Amino acid sequence: MHADLVAIGAVVLAAGLLARAGRRIGLPSIPCYLVVGILLGPGTPGPVLIEDPAELSVLAALGLVLLLFHLGVEFPVEQVLGSGRRLFLAAGCYIGLNVTAGLLLGFALGWGTAEALVIAGGLGISSSAIATKLLIELHRLTNAETPVVLGIIVIEDLFLAFYLALLAPVLSDATSPLGFVRDVAISFGFLVLLFAVARYGARAVGALVGSREDELLAVLVVGLVLLVAGLSEQVRVSDAIGALLIGLVISRTRVRERVERLVLPLRDVFAAVFFVTFGLSIDLGALETVALPAAVAVLATLTCNLAAGVVTARLFGLNQRAAANIGLTVLGRGEFSLILVTLAIGAGLDGRIGPFIALYVLGLAVLAPLLAAKSRYLARFIPDGLLRSRWRYVREETISTACTHLDQISVTGTDLRECPQCVAEGHGWVQLRLCLTCGAVGCCDDSVGKHASAHFTRTRHPIVESLEPGEDWRYCYLDRALVRPPLGREPDATPR
Amino acid sequence: MGHGVQVQDLPGIGKRYDLDLGQRAGRISVVVRNDGNRDLYVFTGQSGDPTAVVELTEEQARKLGALLGGTFFEG
């Protein structure tokens, strides 16, 4: 490494300042870091702070390794395994659609099979960092679809681990089919070994690095991570996988939380260097030649995401607004796409992937926050027929799981298909609502009688369900919101 | 958790606690993020969208907690 401290400091400071300015207009950090790299690098006119991106290669590699290590450490294994079939279906659909689109586009570009596989991964895996930041900034942490979105992200991370393992042999220089098979075997064997360590040896690893002092814990963990990542690269499994899996091992030790906290700032700094370094390697002229494919890729991802959002909403019985929120929140691409491409370029694949993915990530990182904030407008255009239940009156409403009156549900169905009070008074009604506390049936607020609301006013029973065929939404009069139990708790399993 | 408080895991972010304030007053959700920051969501029952959202650092959250707990009466 020959770059002097002045240049590195100036570049990192510029990256931080631009990201800070970007935050004011709701931009994520990753595109800002990339732009600084592109602008201050050798590939563009204007000031060149760092002549050769390779000068930063060690620091950037540290960023890549720490990004994946931290992902492994905070990976919620138990939650994923217990998350149920629906979530796996939803995530499978999301990943399947996007990876297929990426693969088709990759082959259509004609840069090669290995390149197509890298593009498939780059387009298929969304940025956890951008999605979680969006959920926090758009104040959506109490929405019903948010645990679903987070679940999809976590399963995507799991997919990434397997995809990296699959790519490792593709990216190695095996020429014969036999060599290829051998590389696949080594790569998966290494995975199995590290999984076994995570399962049975976590205690020993924890005892080895688990110092009571933060200083020593940080030093020991970073040393261990770099060693395992380096060794993985030596056996031709990428350093990325090694880092991810040693993270999984650490996540099963008792020092997990401290390591997470200690490594976070290190990860953020070196990841920024990684993104800037990636930007430095991008030539402005090369960006123009890949502009069209990148634009097509952005459109393909947008389409796949919306389709997956609708499928997910259908699976979980959510409305149009939730479908739009799901599709648009996981739209951002970032760290994982860039990691895959870095590995690909390191393995000597077609250099055009670099600028292509850079432009694609920039496009989506800017689009995702803009579109996600406006999901309400998109919700208007999603037809009822695509979702499982009909949401005629409540298409654009946020569904909340933060309703604390769900414990007052003790009735979940009725055979009654008339409003008894309307029948007694001798007039008709528009729609029927079922009181979920006592089972009383009343007519909706568009009816003459408004007997459901009257029932609430009299009894204070908070939650009603629509009795219309094909509808099953629940509304809480006290919270004035559509409500549903949190993910994983089925309506029928509600206590009492 | 105590009566009237519900807990929801938010993988990758942290944990959310929903607190019922009774019929008229609305409800509050507190998100304790893994990075220590807290988000305070306040609902007053106009819709499913929060009326106000306040982001607190760990330090600010501790101060507010002390104030709410009645143990902070400096000066």
Side-chain angles (χ1 to χ4, degrees):
Chain A
M1 201 179 67
H2 310 288
D4 59 72
L5 284 179
V6 175
I8 299 177
V11 169
V12 172
L13 183 66
L17 285 174
L18 188 68
R20 195 175 171 203
R23 197 50 51 78
R24 299 226 170 122
I25 51 167
L27 278 183
S29 322
I30 296 172
C32 301
Y33 298 157
L34 270 181
V35 165
V36 164
I38 295 174
L39 289 181
L40 299 180
T44 47
V48 176
L49 285 182
I50 293 176
E51 284 289 348
D52 181 8
E55 291 170 358
L56 288 178
S57 59
V58 174
L59 293 181
L62 204 58
L64 185 151
V65 164
L66 288 176
L67 263 170
L68 285 156
F69 170 69
H70 197 266
L71 181 71
V73 173
E74 62 168 14
F75 189 77
V77 181
E78 274 77 25
Q79 273 168 10
V80 171
L81 296 179
S83 56
R85 208 172 55 92
R86 274 190 308 181
L87 192 57
F88 274 100
L89 268 175
C93 164
Y94 174 78
I95 297 170
L97 276 174
N98 275 299
V99 169
T100 309
L103 204 57
L104 290 178
L105 188 71
F107 279 119
L109 286 172
W111 293 344
T113 309
E115 284 80 357
L117 283 169
V118 170
I119 290 174
L123 266 58
I125 303 170
S126 51
S127 161
S128 310
I130 294 179
T132 45
K133 205 152 268 176
L134 271 179
L135 287 172
I136 291 169
E137 277 168 13
L138 294 174
H139 300 155
R140 288 192 181 149
L141 296 182
T142 60
N143 288 12
E145 77 277 3
T146 293
V148 180
V149 171
L150 293 171
I152 291 179
I153 293 174
V154 168
I155 295 176
E156 273 190 280
D157 296 346
L158 185 69
F159 172 75
L160 173 78
F162 285 102
Y163 205 76
L164 282 173
L166 178 79
L167 272 186
V170 176
L171 296 180
S172 78
D173 43 8
T175 41
S176 64
L178 200 67
F180 181 78
V181 170
R182 193 199 56 210
D183 283 356
V184 173
I186 292 179
S187 162
F188 276 87
F190 195 71
L191 269 182
V192 169
L193 177 77
L194 277 173
F195 268 122
V197 174
R199 179 72 187 77
Y200 301 104
R203 223 196 161 102
V205 175
L208 178 73
V209 298
S211 167
R212 217 179 274 252
E213 288 177 59
D214 279 356
E215 177 196 344
L216 294 180
L217 180 64
V219 171
L220 287 165
V221 165
V222 170
L224 178 70
V225 172
L226 295 183
L227 180 69
V228 171
L231 282 177
S232 324
E233 200 160 30
Q234 300 257 316
V235 296
R236 293 206 267 186
V237 180
S238 67
D239 49 353
I241 292 205
L244 189 82
L245 287 177
I246 191 67
L248 270 181
V249 173
I250 294 287
S251 80
R252 304 191 63 86
T253 66
R254 61 192 163 77
V255 289
R256 169 194 180 150
E257 269 144 35
R258 283 171 63 212
V259 169
E260 230 183 297
R261 181 170 50 81
L262 288 171
V263 170
L264 193 66
L266 283 177
R267 178 201 75 169
D268 289 342
V269 170
F270 290 106
V273 176
F274 167 72
F275 296 128
V276 169
T277 308
F278 191 90
L280 287 173
S281 68
I282 302 296
D283 193 326
L284 202 59
L287 283 180
E288 284 164 29
T289 59
V290 294
L292 186 64
V296 173
V298 167
L299 279 179
T301 304
L302 190 58
T303 316
C304 291
N305 267 45
L306 289 178
V310 168
V311 171
T312 307
R314 191 185 160 88
L315 276 167
F316 284 88
L318 297 163
N319 70 353
Q320 276 84 346
R321 178 75 187 278
N325 283 354
I326 294 169
L328 296 176
T329 307
V330 289
L331 186 61
R333 297 291 184 273
E335 61 274 31
F336 303 131
S337 311
L338 297 174
I339 286 171
L340 284 174
V341 170
T342 304
L343 297 176
I345 292 175
L349 298 196
D350 193 319
R352 281 174 290 182
I353 312 184
F356 167 70
I357 290 287
L359 206 55
Y360 169 76
V361 164
L362 281 177
L364 281 181
V366 174
L367 261 178
L370 290 177
L371 292 180
K374 303 284 179 215
S375 61
R376 176 182 284 272
Y377 301 104
L378 181 72
R380 283 182 201 164
F381 301 106
I382 300 176
D384 270 353
L386 291 176
L387 299 170
R388 198 164 51 186
S389 54
R390 288 186 292 147
W391 303 90
R392 188 144 69 100
Y393 292 112
V394 288
R395 249 174 232 166
E396 295 163 38
E397 298 303 317
T398 297
I399 304 182
S400 177
T401 51
C403 171
T404 45
H405 309 107
L406 293 170
D407 58 351
Q408 298 188 35
I409 296 176
S410 45
V411 177
T412 50
T414 181
D415 295 330
L416 206 59
R417 284 293 177 271
E418 59 181 29
C419 172
Q421 282 174 282
C422 286
V423 172
E425 290 163 20
H427 51 73
W429 58 83
V430 181
Q431 289 199 344
L432 293 176
R433 307 283 181 255
L434 168 69
C435 168
L436 294 182
T437 306
C438 70
V441 174
C443 53
C444 70
D445 284 358
D446 279 349
S447 314
V448 188
K450 298 186 174 52
H451 291 127
S453 296
H455 176 74
F456 160 71
T457 315
R458 199 171 62 248
T459 60
R460 310 298 296 173
H461 293 166
I463 301 176
V464 290
E465 185 174 279
S466 173
L467 271 187
E468 289 310 298
E471 294 188 4
D472 58 2
W473 51 262
R474 293 172 172 186
Y475 181 82
C476 176
Y477 284 108
L478 289 171
D479 289 336
R480 292 194 213 171
L482 290 175
V483 296
R484 59 188 283 118
L487 187 63
R489 245 178 282 168
E490 291 301 320
D492 297 345
T494 313
R496 270 207 290 166
Chain B
M1 252 351 238
H3 184 70
V5 180
Q6 290 185 344
V7 193
Q8 163 88 54
D9 270 321
L10 300 174
I13 292 184
K15 266 196 164 72
R16 194 186 79 213
Y17 302 88
D18 302 322
L19 170 69
D20 185 13
L21 300 180
Q23 312 218 318
R24 285 278 157 211
R27 61 206 159 88
I28 286 180
S29 291
V30 177
V31 178
V32 181
R33 288 196 230 149
N34 295 336
D35 63 9
N37 286 357
R38 268 79 155 166
D39 298 282
L40 192 64
Y41 280 62
V42 181
F43 297 84
T44 48
Q46 298 309 310
S47 77
D49 294 313
T51 316
V53 179
V54 184
E55 193 179 324
L56 301 167
T57 63
E58 201 160 358
E59 182 60 29
Q60 292 165 334
R62 213 167 278 136
K63 271 190 192 146
L64 181 64
L67 282 175
L68 294 174
T71 54
F72 190 81
F73 41 83
E74 191 184 335

